[in-house]
Amino acid sequence: MRTRLKDVAAKLNLSPALVSGVLNNRPHVWASEETRARIVEAALALNYHPSAAAQALSRGKTDAIVFAYKRLAGAAYRLAYSGLMDSLSSEFQSAGYDLTVANFATQEEVLAHLQKLASSHACDAVVLWGREEDTELQAELLESLNMPFVVKGRHEIDHPHWHQVDFDHELMTRQALEHLVTIGHQRIAYLGFPHIEGFVRALRAGYLETHLRLLGRPADPAFIGEFEDEAEPNIAKISEWLALPESIRPTGFVMGAGNKAWQALELCLAQTGRKISDSPDSFSAAGITSSPFTLMFGDARAYQGIEIDNLARFVTPALIHALDPSRESVQIHRFRPELTQAKTLGISVPGPLVASFISRSEIA
């Protein structure tokens, strides 16, 4: 049976409050040196170990952080979150915190767990991760319960006072388009995702705003293609663009999608004996990628290493600020990667290539 504090106090015929004050080194607790020595000796003799939960409750701090999220389907998400866990754990350990991971299949389970964490004071703060449609409800609950939190995502419009971290998506498509204009392109198309998630809207907004500012006209809706991360729909749209008369077809491409869009662009150009190049008299592209990424034929500028584990180093300072509401700080933290030369295999384009893809129905 575990020795309790009151067992130590009973053995010495002292009050539990005095014994607790001495063993926990609380200020303003008076006891003679002889009494302090007797308390320490009795605690050792009885093999007394203070309760971590009681200590946390006493000092109002657990040094524990909970990372909570609703599980998403797909191996890619599991791999991404695995790398994120490693990065976050390292960051929090350096700051003196222990990390606990809590993931659930449904939103209801996540909300119930957050309620339990807040009512039991089991942690100092919570890190919320996932899609905005999920994390917004989770953060609103924690806010109502006065539980400090940091949330990953784009909540700055409706909740600018929340401590939040994410990539600066507008910056990425803005700089990509600026690069293409700088090297001489005037007709610039956009390839992105069709989702309504915050980062997708932000990538699109960066392209649209910069197009109007630099080129003096709104982007042509006909030159915007938004598809799932699959090659076939991207190939169909790019082929349609490249078939236009030379005077009106796009020569620059801002990439706000995954690697399949890049592959589709390279294959479509290769079928005409061309490749991506930063030359103003060629076809050029710039934008985001997913790791690992390597071009097959040409050269381009791309944002690389923008996986979610890179956001981990922004979470800890945001969390420290969230735990100290008296501290003036920036609530919105944005990671700004650099637009750099993409890796390329540099394969020569021998002439028109014919690419064939296996459809999902064929696989099934």
Side-chain angles (χ1 to χ4, degrees), residues 22 101 117 148 180 231 293:
V22 170
V101 179
L117 289 174
L180 295 174
F293 175 76

Side-chain angles (χ1 to χ4, degrees), residues 236-252:
K237 177 55 68 176
I238 295 169
S239 298
E240 177 185 315
W241 288 339
L242 296 181
L244 293 171
E246 184 176 351
S247 60
I248 62 173
R249 72 185 178 197
T251 58

